[in-house]
Amino acid sequence: MITNFRLWPVSASSVAGQFNLLFVVLLILCTLVSVAIAIFLIYSVIRYHRKSENELGSQKRYNIPIEVAWTVIPFILFMAFYVWGANLYFHIERPPDNAISMYVVGKQWMWKIQHPEGQREINELHIPVGRPVKLTMTSEDVIHSFFVPAFRTKQDVLPGRYTMTWFEATKPGKYHLFCAQYCGTKHSGMIGWIYAMNPVDYQNWLTQGAPEGSLASNGEKYFHQFGCANCHHFNNQGRCPDLRNLYMRPVLLTTGQTVTADDSYIRRKLHDPDAQVPWGFSAGVMPNFTGIVSEEQILALISYIKALGPQPGTQEPSSSGAAPTQYGTQKGIGGPGATSNAGSQVEKR
Amino acid sequence: MAQAVAEAIQKNYLNEKQGLLSWLLTTDHKRIAILYTFSITGFFFLGGFFALMMRLELLSPTNWLVSSETYNKLFTMHGTIMVWFFLIPSIPNTLGNFLIPMMVGAKDLAFPKLNLASWYVFMLGGGVTVYALVRGGVDTGWTFYTPFSTSYSTTYVVAAAVGIFIAGFSTIMTSLNFIATIHRMRAPGLTWFRLPIFIWSMYANSVILVLNTPVLAITLVMVGVERIAKVGIFDPALGGDPVLFQHLFWFYSHPAVYTMVLPGMAVISEIVPAFSRKPMFGYKAVAFSSVAIAALSFLVWGHHMFVAGESVYVAMAFSFFSFCVAVPSAIKVFNWTATMYQGSVSWDTPMLYAIGFIGLFTIGGMTGLMLAVLGLDVHLHDTYFVIAHFHYIMVGGTVMAFLGGVHYWWPKISGKMYPEGLARISAAIVFIGFNLTFFPQYVLGYLGMPRRYAAYPEEFQMLHVLSTAGATILGVGYVLPLCYLIWAWYYGRDATPNPWRATGLEWKTPSPPPAHNFEVTPVVTAPRPYDYEAMKEELQLV
Ligand code: HEM
Ligand SMILES: [Cu+2]
Ligand SMILES: [Cu+2]
């Protein structure tokens, strides 16, 4: 009936070891101090147990040096753990540059995951061992939280914005994925598995269930389907910005502010287009796509824009659709090709 | 003969007037304290019933007893009732109400009618909340996180919020009353540094409540407005910000968790000197630590949101202040322990509860530190580790202190002694039951068991079964005092005015006290509180 009983959690990520060390050191220290207090307390209670009804003990009221000591020493110890813990937190919060990007959409009550290669999974995530994986996450409804105990990571997944988490699995295996933020009736059913695989097995897994196209190429499809391509020509001309060379670049806004064109910036463009308008363009042209484009499709569009990538020069895009692979950083991702000569179909929105 | 005996019995606040109306219309702080005691005891056992149902459900990894919907309502109603209808009013409105005027040598609180009004408002708030409950319950968790509570839950969220909103006014009324009384009604000679620590802590507690309760009120109003009128405040689909709610809620609720424990600390700070026959060690440090806790408790709310997308620098600031707030808490633990050292320590029931409090509060505080460590909280947040942490403080701490305080002042309140042997046994049962219930939850937590799960993976079952076993023992430990205290009310031995030979002003008047507390207003000349040296003769101590 009772299976897999254990007293220490599985440790399977690059931060798990650092977490364990900090946890155990602090636990030992706390235990020692608690035991010391307990011994002193029990000693006082027994040694000075009232011997006669009318007994009165010592009437000592204070001892300044001791009181200063038990204020300052704990504080110094606290600060040591504060710094140590903050250090680990920085490490947990900052993904390494070489991380593979994957995308998570939470909804009541499931996890939908998209791989850059185009695979989609529900309540399962396959990852390679030894490579950092970065998850960009959002929710379609309420707040959820992506929690993998074996990796010692947890990050709330919020509606209306992106949050990010990363991990690097160190041991192949099957690990729990939990939703840690209460999200309604089937909160306890919003669970799944992380499969950490050897890189070779992972490659096999990727090729076996090979989908029709990569996430970015799906994004390209949506780029046409939703009419983005009608406006966003790749020629740096006209009323609509060229989206090549945009991803993660600084954008000067009409307000004079500069922001980075990250995932959130692009997402906001679709939900609230006039909130941040780039310099030289006018608000009110880009349509609002709320309720038209789903969170998953937005993630695909972002992957596409990312694949269009920063690229050198202001080379004229091939309006003929020739040599599409010259754009972007990812194989198979091209410019708007066929639609690029369709003219500015602003009305089409 | 019977006539003669009856006449010999002194008039006191219990027998001076008779009949139900004399209770329902009383403005005597002592009687209102008793009214409150009835109410919160009822709420405690109601909340306890929900807890028991949850623990039974968790015996098995599957939904064997209740559905997920029901389970979610159980933990919501458990939390809501325990926090707002038991813990926050528990010690202040019962023991505080009874004792604050007596400890400062006053005839009543500053505003006796406001005090009665506060009870009615409290009962109204409780009534509305119970209405939400019987109509079908609420499933948002006591934390009401948005946008779930505003746009997704289909349960009686607004009714519950209204109940809590109303009860908040009662909290504010009582706190204002305490603050005014402590400022204005102290007996001649009773300067601030002659006040017992109980008063200092209740004062700090009242100041927090007056400042933070309005924040809760406005937050609940915003939840209601968004839910009913669909005005976008928190729900991003309506243009709101879901995390804003968490900021507002915890700006209220972190100070609120301290208002659940400061009164407990207040009680322990009376019991420990009285049963060690020693002045509170480091009196000033303990007094100021209450004030420091009150101030710092407003600066740490972000530690509930370390994984909610907070910037790392903001998180660092909140982590820092969380460590700071632990310092005054640690000071108190050290000082209580040092007070016992070289004293004349009795093992009477209140002291057993106090010792239990110190032990459990220490463990709760230490694990609070672990949660304040940023890198550790990422893993521990929203798991059973957090559940265990705050139950060690709020149940292991505050409920223990409440029971200890009730035993300590029971002779004063009822005029009767409770059965000491039985009381000691139930104190031990509470201690054992508590640890068996909640210690396994620390382990569950760092193993990764999330909170608020009606069903769970099998590997956690063993620890859940242990926890449920502990809960049944704990239940027995809570029912026993209820039984023998009621028994003692009728059949207990009569209490003398000062059965423990303690030093406070409340012990200088008969048990139970007359309606106006003191025949003559006491004048305080002793230079400091807990002055056994000066009262040696009076208390017949050597
Ligand atoms: C020693 C000082 C304390 C420290 C450093 C501390 C620290 C913390 C931290 C960091 C959390 C957030 C954990 C998380 O959600 O991941 C937390 C949660 C909590 N603490 Fe404490 N704490 C302390 C004392 C207290 C006291 C005195 C109380 C109450 C009487 C208390 C009650 C709570 C409650 C109720 C929660 C969780 C609420 C919820 O999520 O439902 N803590 N504490
Ligand atoms: Cu959930
Ligand atoms: Cu807090």
Side-chain angles (χ1 to χ4, degrees):
Chain A
M1 177 180 94
I2 288 166
T3 51
N4 301 326
F5 176 71
R6 56 190 313 145
L7 284 175
W8 189 251
V10 186
S11 307
S13 78
S14 57
V15 296
Q18 300 174 45
F19 173 96
N20 291 350
L21 180 66
L22 175 50
F23 186 83
V24 168
V25 170
L26 185 54
L27 185 66
I28 291 174
L29 189 79
C30 286
T31 310
L32 286 179
V33 175
S34 304
V35 168
I37 295 174
I39 289 176
F40 185 66
L41 186 86
I42 293 168
Y43 169 80
S44 305
V45 168
I46 293 176
R47 165 70 182 75
Y48 299 105
H49 182 207
R50 189 171 297 164
K51 301 199 181 51
S52 76
E53 265 307 293
N54 303 333
E55 182 190 62
L56 186 63
S58 138
Q59 293 295 302
K60 196 152 179 49
R61 287 184 288 114
Y62 58 88
N63 182 330
I64 300 289
I66 288 185
E67 290 181 56
V68 170
W70 71 38
T71 308
V72 175
I73 295 172
F75 183 74
I76 293 171
L77 281 174
F78 291 174
M79 285 305 105
F81 284 96
Y82 165 64
V83 171
W84 188 350
N87 220 5
L88 177 56
Y89 183 71
F90 267 67
H91 182 58
I92 295 174
E93 294 293 309
R94 300 265 158 90
D97 291 335
N98 60 342
I100 324 174
S101 282
M102 298 188 189
Y103 301 90
V104 176
V105 176
K107 65 171 266 195
Q108 285 174 326
W109 291 274
M110 62 168 79
W111 296 105
K112 298 187 285 187
I113 290 152
Q114 306 186 86
H115 290 254
E117 292 80 4
Q119 278 81 0
R120 293 155 150 266
E121 305 184 68
I122 287 184
N123 293 342
E124 284 187 357
L125 170 58
H126 289 75
I127 53 165
V129 161
R131 286 273 317 264
V133 173
K134 175 183 146 183
L135 302 182
T136 301
M137 309 189 288
T138 189
S139 162
E140 282 179 13
D141 37 48
V142 301
I143 302 178
H144 304 278
S145 192
F146 194 95
F147 177 30
V148 186
F151 296 168
R152 309 290 189 273
T153 49
K154 180 184 291 113
Q155 174 63 52
D156 284 4
V157 177
L158 302 163
R161 72 180 69 160
Y162 290 125
T163 54
M164 186 278 309
T165 187
W166 76 275
F167 38 75
E168 180 181 331
T170 49
K171 264 195 301 200
K174 182 180 170 193
Y175 307 111
H176 279 299
L177 159 63
F178 292 132
C179 174
Q181 182 64 265
Y182 175 66
C183 57
T185 308
K186 296 206 190 104
H187 167 56
S188 58
M190 195 166 159
I191 58 178
W193 294 103
I194 310 278
Y195 296 91
M197 313 169 90
N198 285 319
V200 183
D201 297 338
Y202 181 69
Q203 275 313 322
N204 287 340
W205 179 83
L206 278 183
T207 43
Q208 262 168 24
E212 282 161 33
S214 70
L215 186 58
S217 66
N218 285 336
E220 185 178 18
K221 240 172 37 212
Y222 300 136
F223 199 75
H224 294 280
Q225 184 183 328
F226 293 111
C228 323
N230 296 342
C231 300
H232 291 285
H233 299 285
F234 286 10
N235 55 11
N236 268 329
Q237 291 161 6
R239 308 159 60 189
C240 307
D242 183 345
L243 298 186
R244 294 171 308 165
N245 220 357
L246 171 69
Y247 191 72
M248 290 313 272
R249 286 295 181 86
V251 178
L252 179 64
L253 302 180
T254 45
T255 55
Q257 247 184 327
T258 305
V259 296
T260 305
D262 56 7
D263 300 346
S264 305
Y265 173 77
I266 299 170
R267 185 184 177 285
R268 195 171 311 124
K269 211 64 235 166
L270 300 186
H271 278 296
D272 188 5
D274 296 341
Q276 291 177 320
V277 177
W279 181 263
F281 295 92
S282 46
V285 183
M286 164 109 182
N288 189 331
F289 286 92
T290 308
I292 299 170
V293 183
S294 75
E295 293 292 352
E296 283 158 287
Q297 289 164 336
I298 295 177
L299 286 166
L301 282 167
I302 292 172
S303 296
Y304 172 62
I305 293 170
K306 180 177 177 181
L308 291 174
Q311 67 157 24
T314 47
Q315 188 187 9
E316 202 50 32
S318 67
S319 49
S320 63
T325 48
Q326 77 189 86
Y327 301 113
T329 51
Q330 205 179 317
K331 264 218 323 263
I333 298 301
T339 56
S340 66
N341 48 10
S344 216
Q345 303 280 329
V346 182
E347 321 73 53
K348 242 192 153 174
R349 76 190 132 118
Chain B
M1 176 64 199
Q3 188 84 35
V5 172
E7 251 159 23
I9 294 175
Q10 234 189 341
K11 282 273 178 220
N12 62 46
Y13 82 100
L14 290 171
N15 61 17
E16 199 186 47
K17 287 189 195 136
Q18 309 263 330
L20 190 61
L21 265 189
S22 76
W23 282 89
L24 292 179
L25 296 177
T26 182
T27 53
D28 182 344
H29 67 100
K30 299 183 287 303
R31 285 190 161 208
I32 296 171
I34 304 250
L35 292 178
Y36 263 116
T37 309
F38 275 110
S39 320
I40 64 152
T41 307
F43 282 122
F44 177 74
F45 282 100
L46 182 61
F49 168 75
F50 295 136
L52 192 65
M53 295 299 290
M54 281 193 279
R55 286 303 342 154
L56 288 177
E57 161 63 27
L58 293 173
L59 273 176
S60 152
T62 57
N63 287 74
W64 75 280
L65 182 63
V66 296
S67 65
S68 294
E69 276 100 340
T70 311
Y71 183 84
N72 296 344
K73 290 176 181 173
L74 285 173
F75 71 67
T76 303
M77 296 313 297
H78 167 71
T80 304
I81 288 194
M82 286 302 198
V83 166
W84 285 294
F85 297 96
F86 175 71
L87 278 168
I88 291 180
S90 63
I91 294 174
N93 293 26
T94 61
L95 296 173
N97 226 332
F98 196 97
L99 294 165
I100 287 175
M102 294 221 259
M103 284 184 172
V104 301
K107 288 192 166 61
D108 207 316
L109 285 174
F111 311 113
K113 286 179 190 146
L114 189 69
N115 197 16
L116 180 64
S118 114
W119 182 71
Y120 279 104
V121 172
F122 175 73
M123 292 310 284
L124 180 65
V128 174
T129 307
V130 169
Y131 162 83
L133 169 82
V134 295
R135 282 302 301 273
V138 187
D139 71 347
T140 59
W142 76 282
T143 45
F144 291 97
Y145 270 22
T146 55
F148 181 71
S149 64
T150 55
S151 299
Y152 290 86
S153 172
T154 54
T155 55
Y156 289 81
V157 179
V158 175
V162 168
I164 297 162
F165 179 84
I166 296 174
F169 284 93
S170 134
T171 307
I172 295 173
M173 288 177 192
T174 302
S175 303
L176 283 176
N177 221 339
F178 287 176
I179 293 172
T181 307
I182 295 168
H183 269 283
R184 307 296 308 165
M185 313 228 345
R186 283 172 282 127
L190 193 54
T191 57
W192 284 90
F193 288 114
R194 293 177 180 180
L195 287 170
I197 296 290
F198 186 87
I199 299 289
W200 276 93
S201 295
M202 294 305 294
Y203 182 79
N205 187 54
S206 306
V207 170
I208 300 181
L209 283 172
V210 167
L211 294 176
N212 78 343
T213 312
V215 179
L216 174 69
I218 194 70
T219 309
L220 291 175
V221 168
M222 287 195 260
V223 167
V225 166
E226 180 165 289
R227 211 180 145 81
I228 296 166
K230 300 280 166 240
V231 175
I233 304 171
F234 304 123
D235 184 354
L238 302 171
D241 179 346
V243 182
L244 174 65
F245 173 85
Q246 298 180 24
H247 281 288
L248 292 168
F249 182 81
W250 289 114
F251 184 78
Y252 158 78
S253 222
H254 185 84
V257 304
Y258 271 94
T259 65
M260 299 173 215
V261 82
L262 271 170
M265 296 168 157
V267 168
I268 299 307
S269 303
E270 295 308 302
I271 293 178
V272 169
F275 291 85
S276 309
R277 293 209 176 128
K278 246 184 99 187
M280 170 57 82
F281 191 84
Y283 169 86
K284 283 197 183 172
V286 178
F288 283 122
S289 68
S290 295
V291 179
I293 285 175
L296 287 169
S297 73
F298 280 96
L299 302 176
V300 302
W301 79 89
H303 68 206
H304 298 269
M305 300 158 61
F306 288 152
V307 302
E310 206 166 55
S311 105
V312 285
Y313 299 103
V314 169
M316 278 183 75
F318 284 121
S319 171
F320 173 78
F321 285 117
S322 303
F323 282 104
C324 292
V325 80
V327 173
S329 308
I331 290 177
K332 285 187 189 264
V333 169
F334 295 140
N335 280 296
W336 290 322
T337 314
T339 306
M340 295 182 198
Y341 181 68
Q342 292 186 341
S344 163
V345 181
S346 112
W347 294 354
D348 289 330
T349 310
M351 191 59 158
L352 298 186
Y353 277 114
I355 294 167
F357 174 101
I358 297 173
L360 300 180
F361 179 77
T362 304
I363 298 175
M366 294 282 184
T367 49
L369 284 173
M370 299 176 99
L371 291 170
V373 174
L374 286 166
L376 299 186
D377 186 66
V378 170
H379 177 64
L380 300 173
H381 174 70
D382 268 338
T383 66
Y384 266 73
F385 197 91
V386 175
I387 307 275
H389 154 69
F390 66 77
H391 281 85
Y392 261 77
I393 292 178
M394 306 201 302
V395 180
T398 305
V399 178
M400 281 267 195
F402 177 65
L403 286 172
V406 166
H407 284 85
Y408 175 43
W409 284 292
W410 191 253
K412 184 58 60 187
I413 296 169
S414 70
K416 303 288 166 125
M417 299 304 287
Y418 58 83
E420 182 64 35
L422 192 53
R424 286 188 197 179
I425 293 171
S426 25
I429 294 177
V430 169
F431 187 80
I432 293 165
F434 176 84
N435 281 297
L436 188 54
T437 310
F438 291 104
F439 201 84
Q441 298 188 2
Y442 280 127
V443 182
L444 276 171
Y446 69 69
L447 287 177
M449 166 84 202
R451 294 169 74 166
R452 298 174 169 176
Y453 266 32
Y456 53 86
E458 270 179 17
E459 67 237 47
F460 298 129
Q461 182 170 16
M462 176 81 150
L463 291 158
H464 273 303
V465 170
L466 277 180
S467 182
T468 303
T472 56
I473 300 177
L474 188 59
V476 173
Y478 288 144
V479 172
L480 273 177
L482 181 71
C483 299
Y484 67 72
L485 287 177
I486 294 175
W487 176 88
W489 185 280
Y490 294 104
Y491 308 111
R493 202 159 38 81
D494 281 341
T496 55
N498 189 0
W500 315 116
R501 300 199 216 176
T503 53
L505 285 180
E506 76 271 25
W507 301 108
K508 297 206 162 161
T509 175
S511 306
H516 291 296
N517 296 349
F518 301 97
E519 294 309 333
V520 264
T521 302
V523 176
V524 179
T525 50
R528 58 184 77 93
Y530 315 108
D531 201 344
Y532 283 93
E533 200 69 60
M535 294 172 72
K536 232 170 162 170
E537 248 78 300
E538 191 183 325
L539 297 174
Q540 297 171 332
L541 299 170
V542 285

